[in-house]
Amino acid sequence: MRKYTLRELQAMETISQGHTDNLKIKTENMKVWLSRMTIEDGMAANNMVTIEKLTNDGRWEIIEEYPAR
């Protein structure tokens, strides 16, 4: 799975905003989110990326999380 850098994600337009994350990439079967939460908010790291994949039964499942650098 490709890891996006913080610079790449920040340069992308935000497609939509979730409760704590900005949706940066959306395809038919994948979503890439960049968190607005910080360590001060209780996150393990700043700039966390969450990648979701659409399962065969139609649910979005987290397949990877990492801090963008």
Side-chain angles (χ1 to χ4, degrees):
M1 179 67 48
R2 180 177 192 276
K3 292 200 180 213
Y4 296 90
T5 67
L6 180 57
R7 182 174 286 183
E8 286 176 309
L9 292 169
Q10 287 177 331
M12 292 178 187
E13 181 178 339
T14 296
I15 297 167
S16 69
Q17 287 188 329
H19 184 68
T20 60
D21 303 84
N22 292 336
L23 182 61
K24 294 296 187 170
I25 298 170
K26 182 178 180 184
T27 66
E28 285 184 16
N29 62 358
M30 184 185 75
K31 293 180 184 178
V32 179
W33 298 87
L34 178 61
S35 179
R36 295 188 306 274
M37 304 280 288
T38 65
I39 291 171
E40 290 80 20
D41 297 317
M43 294 296 289
N46 293 330
N47 304 308
M48 288 297 293
V49 175
T50 301
I51 300 177
E52 296 179 311
K53 186 174 182 181
L54 188 62
T55 63
N56 290 336
D57 61 356
R59 293 179 300 112
W60 289 99
E61 180 178 288
I62 295 172
I63 58 168
E64 187 171 4
E65 292 181 299
Y66 63 91
R69 303 207 190 288

